[in-house]
Amino acid sequence: MKIVVDPLQCGCSGYCVKVAPEIFAWLPDDTAATALIEPGTEEEIGLAREAAQLCPLRAITIVEE
């Protein structure tokens, strides 16, 4: 699984960072969120999917490999 965050689509709502701070963080200039890791555990996968569903602008894409 790979997480892709579209920085141009990100509206900085912060849901992803709140739901999964071990997976998502703000870019240094606070203009968008970014994925820090590729989820490996079932818990991380679940949190990544939840964050993608909560994103109001659908800036997070989960790519199943």
Side-chain angles (χ1 to χ4, degrees), residues 9-41:
Q9 188 69 22
C10 179
C12 299
S13 67
Y15 291 116
C16 60
V17 177
K18 291 174 190 165
V19 168
E22 60 278 352
I23 299 173
F24 297 95
W26 294 112
L27 289 173
D29 59 3
D30 289 333
T31 57
T34 188
L36 299 171
I37 64 168
E38 292 183 15
T41 67

Side-chain angles (χ1 to χ4, degrees), residues 1-5 23-24 35 37-39 48 60-63:
M1 166 186 273
K2 182 177 179 179
I3 301 171
V4 178
V5 180
I23 299 173
F24 297 95
I37 64 168
E38 292 183 15
I60 302 170
T61 303
I62 305 292
V63 179

Side-chain angles (χ1 to χ4, degrees), residues 49-63:
R49 287 188 175 133
E50 181 180 355
Q53 289 175 342
L54 288 173
C55 181
L57 296 176
R58 302 293 181 237
I60 302 170
T61 303
I62 305 292
V63 179

